[in-house]
Amino acid sequence: MVEIISVGQDLASGQTQNLGAAVVTRELLHAGVEVDYTTFVGNREDYLEEILRQALLRSGLIFVLGGLGSHHYDITKKILSRVLNKRLVLDYKVLDKIKQRFEKRGEVMPRSEEKQALILSETELLENPIGMSPGFLFHQGDAVVIALPGDPVEIKAIWTQEVLPRLDLQGLKKVPSDTLILKTCGLAESTLEEWVRSVVRSQGNITFSLIPYGEEVEIAMEVKGETPEEVEALRRDLEYKLRRKLGSYLYGTGEQTLEEVVGSLLALNRKTLAVAESCTGGLICHRLTNVEGSSRYFERGIISYSNEAKMSLLDVSPEIIREKGPVSAEAAIAMAEGVRWISQTSLGLATTGIAGPSGGTPEKPVGLVYIALAAEGRETKSERFYFSGDRNSIKLRASQMGLDMIRRHLTSL
């Protein structure tokens, strides 16, 4: 059996999503292996020790995520040392790498960071190319135990080069299987579930789960069969049917992000983009510029939060602000056209709304957001949205629908 144990008080208290476990689960599913147990534990040493001892009795492959850093409550290595009866020794190569990272920043390594260079004896070190804490792999009887940092980005960085080549997963594959990941935007989760069920119907060899993220929902489907050829045929047939059913709501597959898809479309169509943001506070620009090579199509972003900024930087008329208000379709359109004109780009995107928790009125409640897209040779479009959730959630949802508006324009959907 396969088991994941996530360590961290933030997970136990619900402050943080267990994204590290989600990454490992997905990578294993890609390799045709299901996870049998997923648990998380806070900073209680006795709890972690009990869970580890149970895992060693029942599972052949155990992942322990998190608790490897320098904080005083990072307990994973200490408990692993106790449960597996292994010594903790200082690895000077790891220590040197940690020191070098601090030196590059012009800082002296704090003494507390030495804790990250403590390695369990008789273990294989898993290089961490982007973080301080390396991972570990060791054998305990018939079980393989792998300890990794809890950060999902670091897990992805370690997985392909260090973890996967060391694993023999053939014995853990129950039946041939494959995973299909589809990314959607703008469709309610309940509606999406009905649509997917209508395609899957009662096929017992296909299971699926929906993972919502604001206005985006990921469909993770596992396909099983008697042979790899049967699985491949089922997966292809399933993807074909779902693409027809989802239509324009489907924006990508696998690890693709909405901003990557939008960036690819802008580059492919040789279009340039400028963005004027009010309620999203620069989040759309941040997401766009996270994509490598975005300088090919992203010209500039303007955060025009105040009325004065909208008027002075984007040439929004005082009459629109006074008569329609800064949160209005007219203001969004003027902002989009203003930023496109100033930047001389192919497209101009703008957002304006009320992210809350205060500032709402009966006529314009919290969550009201207008998004407009100006395009050369086209009439400027605007859409009105009512997003739910807290301030961060509303900003995220607005950024997703703003990016999706660009995607739909570039694909003429």
Side-chain angles (χ1 to χ4, degrees), residues 107-139:
E107 301 174 13
V108 177
M109 185 192 80
R111 186 68 179 271
S112 60
E113 295 293 336
E114 284 189 4
K115 185 180 175 183
Q116 298 196 78
L118 288 172
I119 307 299
L120 276 78
S121 60
E122 304 170 57
T123 187
E124 291 181 51
L125 207 62
L126 306 176
E127 293 282 346
N128 183 346
I130 61 174
M132 295 279 193
S133 299
F136 310 93
L137 182 150
F138 37 85
H139 297 268

Side-chain angles (χ1 to χ4, degrees), residues 77-362:
K77 283 188 286 192
K78 178 181 178 182
I79 303 305
L80 282 172
S81 171
R82 184 188 302 166
V83 172
L84 304 176
N85 195 26
K86 295 182 185 296
R87 291 181 298 113
L88 278 172
V89 295
L90 190 65
D91 188 303
Y92 287 96
K93 288 184 179 178
V94 175
L95 184 61
D96 284 343
K97 286 185 178 179
I98 296 173
K99 285 181 178 178
Q100 288 171 13
R101 285 178 180 269
F102 277 93
E103 288 171 358
K104 285 180 180 177
R105 303 198 309 230
E107 301 174 13
V108 177
M109 185 192 80
R111 186 68 179 271
S112 60
E113 295 293 336
E114 284 189 4
K115 185 180 175 183
Q116 298 196 78
L118 288 172
I119 307 299
L120 276 78
S121 60
E122 304 170 57
T123 187
E124 291 181 51
L125 207 62
L126 306 176
E127 293 282 346
N128 183 346
I130 61 174
M132 295 279 193
S133 299
F136 310 93
L137 182 150
F138 37 85
H139 297 268
Q140 183 75 4
D142 294 331
V144 175
V145 182
I146 297 174
L148 297 171
D151 186 324
V153 178
E154 293 185 36
I155 292 174
K156 286 183 180 179
I158 298 172
W159 186 270
T160 304
Q161 298 297 323
E162 299 289 323
V163 177
L164 198 55
R166 289 178 166 85
L167 293 181
D168 180 6
L169 298 174
Q170 287 302 319
L172 296 169
K173 294 181 180 179
K174 295 179 175 62
V175 295
S177 64
D178 196 4
T179 302
L180 174 63
I181 304 291
L182 299 178
K183 302 288 192 70
T184 70
C185 185
L187 191 64
E189 185 181 351
S190 56
T191 304
L192 187 58
E193 182 173 0
E194 287 183 14
W195 286 16
V196 175
R197 286 194 186 283
S198 71
V199 172
V200 175
R201 294 191 177 87
S202 59
Q203 295 186 63
N205 51 359
I206 299 174
T207 57
F208 74 91
S209 59
L210 303 181
I211 305 169
Y213 179 63
E215 296 300 304
E216 297 182 35
V217 181
E218 177 181 301
I219 309 169
M221 312 201 73
E222 186 183 14
V223 182
K224 297 178 181 177
E226 296 296 325
T227 64
E229 291 75 19
E230 181 187 354
V231 171
E232 176 62 15
L234 281 170
R235 194 195 66 78
R236 286 179 180 274
D237 180 63
L238 179 64
E239 183 170 357
Y240 171 75
K241 290 176 179 175
L242 282 171
R243 282 185 177 278
R244 289 191 62 184
K245 186 72 176 179
L246 297 171
S248 63
Y249 293 104
L250 177 66
Y251 77 77
T253 60
E255 298 295 321
Q256 282 183 305
T257 66
L258 186 54
E259 48 268 40
E260 287 172 348
V261 172
V262 168
S264 296
L265 289 169
L266 286 165
L268 180 67
N269 289 280
R270 299 182 183 278
K271 301 292 185 183
T272 54
L273 171 70
V275 180
E277 298 187 65
S278 184
C279 62
T280 44
L283 182 56
I284 294 175
C285 295
H286 172 69
R287 293 181 61 175
L288 285 165
T289 53
N290 277 342
V291 180
E292 183 182 4
S294 54
S295 58
R296 288 178 295 166
Y297 47 80
F298 182 71
E299 205 279 339
R300 74 181 69 178
I302 296 175
I303 303 174
S304 53
Y305 212 66
S306 67
N307 293 342
E308 290 71 22
K310 291 178 177 64
M311 290 185 287
S312 62
L313 298 177
L314 300 171
D315 201 27
V316 178
S317 72
E319 289 75 20
I320 287 178
I321 299 295
R322 184 174 58 252
E323 296 173 8
K324 302 295 182 180
V327 179
S328 63
E330 290 80 2
I333 289 171
M335 290 168 65
E337 292 177 345
V339 77
R340 192 185 86 77
W341 174 253
I342 292 166
S343 309
Q344 291 295 293
T345 51
S346 314
L347 302 174
L349 181 76
T351 64
T352 180
I354 305 167
S358 60
T361 66

